[in-house]
Amino acid sequence: MERAVVLKGITKRFPGIVANDGIDLEVKKGEIHAIVGENGAGKSTLMKILAGIYQPDEGEIYIFGKRERITSPGRAIELKIGMVHQHFMLVDRFTVLENIILGAEKRAGITIDEKNSRKMIEELLSLYNFSLDLDARVEEISVGQAQRVEILKVLYRGADILVLDEPTAVLAPQEVKELFVNLRRLKEEGKTIIFISHKLDEVLEIADRITVLRRGRVVGTVMPSEVTKEELARMMVGKPVFMKLEKASVPTGEVLLSVKDLVVKESTGKTVVNGVSFEIRGGEIYGIAGIEGNGQKELAEAILGLRQISSGQVTICGRNAGNLSVREIRDLGVAFIPEDRHRQGLILPMKVWENMVLGFHRKKEFLKGRSLNLKAIRKFAEKKSEEFLVMLSSIEQSIEGLSGGNQQKVILGRELSREPEVIIASQPTRGLDVGAAEFVHKELLKKREEGKAILLISADLEEVLSLSDRVGVIYNGRITAEFKPEEVTLEDIGVYMLGGEVKAGEGA
Amino acid sequence: MKKRYYIVMLRILAPVLAIVLSALISSAVILAIGKSPLQVFYTIFKFSLSRLDSIAIILYNATPLIFSGLAVSIGFRMGLFNIGVEGQYLIGAFFAALAGFAIKGLPVFVHLPLVILCGALGGMLWSFIPIYLKVKRGVHEVISTIMLNYISYSLIHYLIADVFLDRSQKLVEGLGGILTRTPKLPPSALMPKLHVFLGLFGIQLPRHVYLNWFFPLGLLMAYLIYYLLMHTPFGFEIRSVGQNPEAARTAGIKPERVYMAGFLLSGAVAGLVGLSDLLSYFGYMDLDFPRNYGFDGIAVALIGQNNPLGIVLSAILFGFLKRGAEGIQTQLNVPMDTIVILQAVMIMSIVVITKVMNDYIKRLERKESVICSSQNSSLPA
Ligand SMILES: Nc1ncnc2c1ncn2[C@@H]1O[C@H](COP(=O)(O)OP(=O)(O)OP(=O)(O)O)[C@@H](O)[C@H]1O
Ligand SMILES: [Mg+2]
């Protein structure tokens, strides 16, 4: 069989770390090849090399048998390699069509030849069985659709080799299914697909072959039929991972967080949270399941005081938090793990140790007189980096240089080490590898056992169901259903998440 | 390892190289006016650096620019553009002058600090307007500070030429009218020169040199601001808000509050910009009071990369250029306009070249640490 991509001895170094260390990889034409590995194993780096974003320090690349140097993203496109990044790169205000042709416009004289472009895209849509409204604005479409736009962008540029970096991290189960249908269809048409994921079930379901990376090296390439999830996890981490969570039964305490008839509006007047109510007691995890963009971000931000509350009430540890500042709310003992770590969780150009105390830099233990006690801060950062297993070369490193998962661990270290009473965790394990995710889950369960109240917002249903004591499904700013996890199946919740109703008799 | 020395060398050489290259570029301008570049540069260096008093004048020239570069840099660190240092220092200077001539009979150790404080207060007051408008009303600070610069020009003119005009002046013989200036400040409000102090070390400066205690004060200010930024919680907040206001807000820092306090601080420092001239050279404020320090401060902050030490050095560079310009003007008879062009060309090329050099150094450093790390990583992990 023809080989679409062959990598030989690819090495890529960053300050203080070897991200890729002599990687050999073969991807056959027309296969779906999954790449898995721990956070910081070098997956994204390898893919960026393939997409011309980084240049390898050593090694050779062969595309369809020919030795190539992929010197730029433009060169990658010439070689028919297209990458879909984990973070979407779309222009919100543009329509789907405009986004697809952006940067690769067909011209008619000095104007853009929209008619021809539209025809081409419509042909692609019908060839691959994609459904998309080309005239919808990107800001109005769902995450799953946005992903399809990203894939179409790549196809429109003529890609034969598609690289997808964690495409399923933000999708609901139904959307993942649709994506997989799309991917299989692409494969039938002879496209080659390389995709990265931390969700091993998915990988086992869709991939033809799986390559495991660990610390910048290839551990092995396996067929999904030959391995179990546990074996795969062990290959990644290098030691056994137990994927069963021990959830102790914990007596519940006082109500620590209560939200009553909460309404939050955008500055445009659009209602984004529409009368949400729930109570969380100490020792309880309340899960909110839902597809991104249904008000969960705004709900979390309103509780934290980042957003104005239009009506309703938020009570934290018995105090009305309605008109407290973020600082005051945090001082009540609220920890926040934001879903968008780059925008809300971290200050990217700053160093690891600076990020480790962001927001707590005025705490007594970090001050000496009126100045910062840099020694104490550094020591704290060292300790937390170790405790939370952050992979880094030094705490003096800028946080930008850490892999996605390790950046998340810095946030967790910072937020969870402050003895919070209430924890708002938005997508706390997004982008984390199995080991790290397990670690976070254990931390959250530990906090639960310590009698803290936890609001867990996640698009990862399995996570919500396995951790929560109660689950609310959010759709369109409302909690449309509430369950105990043992009362429902994944499928039922999935239907609610998409705004449907489970007919009596069909559920449970 | 060899490479590491190379990097350190480059670091030191970068600004020098930038200056040399920019000299080459300015040579084109010099050639265009029919002079010999070699002669011009020879004159600049000889005139500026061959005598002690000339060096003192360079430092004197640098003094206001240290303050204004620092003021601008505080804004930059928060992600704000304080284009209004220009207006803030004029208002600050006027406040200082007012406190100087309106109060009489105070001993120098009370009066002088009071005058300086009033200068800072004036600058702060003038910076309050734009930052209040920004924080409360969302008015972009660039627009409001530019407008306030114009207002300050006219306001100062009005105050000097009308309200506080010194009408008690004796008519200068042969001149029809009195000078348009404020009353003179009493000696108790003036800043002593450095002459006596330097005399202790055997350095004798002639009387026409006005280097005064504001220069060491500027150095102290640079250190204080460095300390504030890197070692205090407030400085940490300034940097956080400057890099990512949304993450700072999520962490419980109120960007608006930081903007407010930081901008007032910037204004207070700006208020000191004109005092070296006011309190040691003029002794009163008139319509010819020096302008443009605020704008020069933007260039100083850029070349100094918002780093206090860098700002001090780039302010001295500016002082040197100014002194050199005086040299070629008087000794080579080059018209003033050409010198202004020459200065602008030099500044522009220095800005560009330092940027390019620094990027190059950064890239080298990256490679360097990679070499070290690959040595480490050969150990089993
Ligand atoms: N631009 C960069 N500068 C410095 N170091 C980097 C840079 N990009 C990646 N690294 C480092 O290279 C290593 C591999 O990073 P990479 O992003 O490829 O990991 P990953 O396998 O994609 O991890 P994750 O699953 O967390 O996304 C990490 O240790 C990271 O710190
Ligand atoms: Mg990655």
Side-chain angles (χ1 to χ4, degrees), chain A residues 14 17 19 38-45 54 166 198 401-405 431:
Chain A
F14 288 113
I17 207 145
E38 279 183 286
N39 295 126
K43 307 178 293 293
S44 297
T45 305
Y54 291 153
E166 300 193 34
H198 288 297
L402 264 55
S403 81

Side-chain angles (χ1 to χ4, degrees), chain A residues 82-99:
Chain A
M83 179 154 178
V84 175
H85 293 270
Q86 182 178 353
H87 302 276
F88 297 151
M89 302 186 173
L90 299 174
V91 184
D92 275 355
R93 308 215 148 222
F94 279 19
T95 62
V96 168
L97 179 82
E98 286 166 336
N99 265 290

Side-chain angles (χ1 to χ4, degrees), chain A residues 209-361:
Chain A
R209 290 195 304 156
I210 305 166
T211 294
V212 182
L213 296 189
R214 187 163 79 226
R215 293 174 194 260
R217 300 190 190 181
V218 175
V219 180
T221 298
V222 292
M223 310 283 270
S225 53
E226 294 168 350
V227 286
T228 63
K229 193 174 157 189
E230 285 71 19
E231 284 165 340
L232 208 50
R234 196 174 59 218
M235 281 177 82
M236 282 169 54
V237 183
K239 58 176 193 238
V241 178
F242 304 101
M243 286 187 278
K244 273 269 171 291
L245 283 168
E246 289 300 323
K247 221 169 103 184
S249 70
V250 178
T252 54
E254 306 258 294
V255 174
L256 293 180
L257 172 65
S258 126
V259 173
K260 219 173 151 213
D261 302 325
L262 184 70
V263 176
V264 179
K265 289 192 168 131
E266 295 253 283
S267 54
T268 54
K270 192 177 151 210
T271 306
V272 275
V273 177
N274 196 356
V276 167
S277 303
F278 57 82
E279 279 184 350
I280 312 178
R281 293 175 175 277
E284 235 186 348
I285 298 184
Y286 185 83
I288 290 195
I291 297 170
E292 223 172 314
N294 276 290
Q296 42 283 67
K297 180 174 175 355
E298 291 80 3
L299 171 65
E301 289 182 357
I303 296 172
L304 196 74
L306 279 167
R307 266 174 199 268
Q308 195 86 38
I309 292 172
S310 297
S311 69
Q313 216 175 11
V314 175
T315 315
I316 297 167
C317 302
R319 277 195 60 185
N320 181 0
N323 35 28
L324 296 183
S325 69
V326 181
R327 172 81 280 138
E328 287 162 328
I329 289 173
R330 278 182 166 272
D331 284 343
L332 288 178
V334 178
F336 180 51
I337 298 157
E339 60 171 43
D340 188 338
R341 49 180 170 255
H342 286 180
R343 271 181 53 203
Q344 294 192 302
L346 299 167
I347 298 191
L348 282 190
M350 285 176 113
K351 298 178 172 164
V352 171
W353 63 266
E354 291 178 306
N355 275 289
M356 225 22 141
V357 293
L358 178 67
F360 302 109
H361 55 282

Side-chain angles (χ1 to χ4, degrees), chain B residues 319-335:
Chain B
F320 165 76
L321 284 181
K322 188 173 170 200
R323 178 66 181 158
E326 283 162 14
I328 44 177
Q329 191 187 4
T330 51
Q331 299 198 348
L332 297 182
N333 212 2
V334 175

Side-chain angles (χ1 to χ4, degrees), chain A residues 23-310:
Chain A
I23 289 196
D24 297 323
L25 179 72
E26 277 187 24
V27 182
K28 294 178 193 153
K29 179 173 185 294
E31 78 169 337
I32 299 183
H33 196 114
I35 306 222
V36 298
E38 279 183 286
N39 295 126
K43 307 178 293 293
S44 297
T45 305
L46 190 65
M47 293 306 115
K48 283 179 185 165
I49 287 173
L50 205 49
I53 297 167
Y54 291 153
Q55 304 306 309
D57 298 322
E58 288 163 30
E60 297 164 13
I61 302 175
Y62 297 84
I63 305 297
F64 292 113
K66 254 186 72 198
R67 170 130 192 224
E68 302 283 357
R69 293 192 53 216
I70 310 177
T71 47
S72 68
R75 180 70 192 136
I77 291 170
E78 282 170 24
L79 294 170
K80 301 190 178 301
I81 302 170
M83 179 154 178
V84 175
H85 293 270
Q86 182 178 353
H87 302 276
F88 297 151
M89 302 186 173
L90 299 174
V91 184
D92 275 355
R93 308 215 148 222
F94 279 19
T95 62
V96 168
L97 179 82
E98 286 166 336
N99 265 290
I100 293 173
I101 64 176
L102 183 66
E105 302 90 350
K106 301 227 172 329
R107 282 165 203 276
I110 56 161
T111 54
I112 294 172
D113 187 354
E114 216 192 284
K115 226 195 239 152
N116 256 323
S117 312
R118 182 182 292 269
K119 223 177 90 201
M120 252 192 79
I121 297 170
E122 273 165 358
E123 275 165 20
L124 286 176
L125 285 177
S126 67
L127 176 61
Y128 297 115
N129 256 330
F130 278 29
S131 66
L132 255 182
D133 174 6
L134 291 183
D135 296 312
R137 270 172 203 266
V138 162
E139 58 193 352
E140 294 159 358
I141 63 179
S142 72
V143 195
Q145 287 170 327
Q147 183 131 51
R148 249 169 271 158
V149 177
E150 287 281 13
I151 294 175
L152 266 174
K153 249 168 82 177
V154 169
L155 293 174
Y156 178 73
R157 284 157 180 72
D160 281 333
I161 301 169
L162 278 79
V163 179
L164 306 157
D165 195 350
E166 300 193 34
T168 56
V170 290
L171 300 186
Q174 266 78 356
E175 290 178 313
V176 172
K177 279 201 184 118
E178 278 174 53
L179 173 70
F180 283 1
V181 171
N182 291 153
L183 292 186
R184 290 205 177 95
R185 179 86 192 108
L186 284 165
K187 179 178 142 181
E188 280 168 27
E189 292 298 323
K191 306 281 180 193
T192 307
I193 296 165
I194 306 178
F195 101 113
I196 299 178
S197 177
H198 288 297
K199 299 185 183 169
L200 300 183
D201 288 322
E202 293 173 4
V203 169
L204 290 171
E205 180 190 337
I206 186 89
D208 299 313
R209 290 195 304 156
I210 305 166
T211 294
V212 182
L213 296 189
R214 187 163 79 226
R215 293 174 194 260
R217 300 190 190 181
V218 175
V219 180
T221 298
V222 292
M223 310 283 270
S225 53
E226 294 168 350
V227 286
T228 63
K229 193 174 157 189
E230 285 71 19
E231 284 165 340
L232 208 50
R234 196 174 59 218
M235 281 177 82
M236 282 169 54
V237 183
K239 58 176 193 238
V241 178
F242 304 101
M243 286 187 278
K244 273 269 171 291
L245 283 168
E246 289 300 323
K247 221 169 103 184
S249 70
V250 178
T252 54
E254 306 258 294
V255 174
L256 293 180
L257 172 65
S258 126
V259 173
K260 219 173 151 213
D261 302 325
L262 184 70
V263 176
V264 179
K265 289 192 168 131
E266 295 253 283
S267 54
T268 54
K270 192 177 151 210
T271 306
V272 275
V273 177
N274 196 356
V276 167
S277 303
F278 57 82
E279 279 184 350
I280 312 178
R281 293 175 175 277
E284 235 186 348
I285 298 184
Y286 185 83
I288 290 195
I291 297 170
E292 223 172 314
N294 276 290
Q296 42 283 67
K297 180 174 175 355
E298 291 80 3
L299 171 65
E301 289 182 357
I303 296 172
L304 196 74
L306 279 167
R307 266 174 199 268
Q308 195 86 38
I309 292 172
S310 297

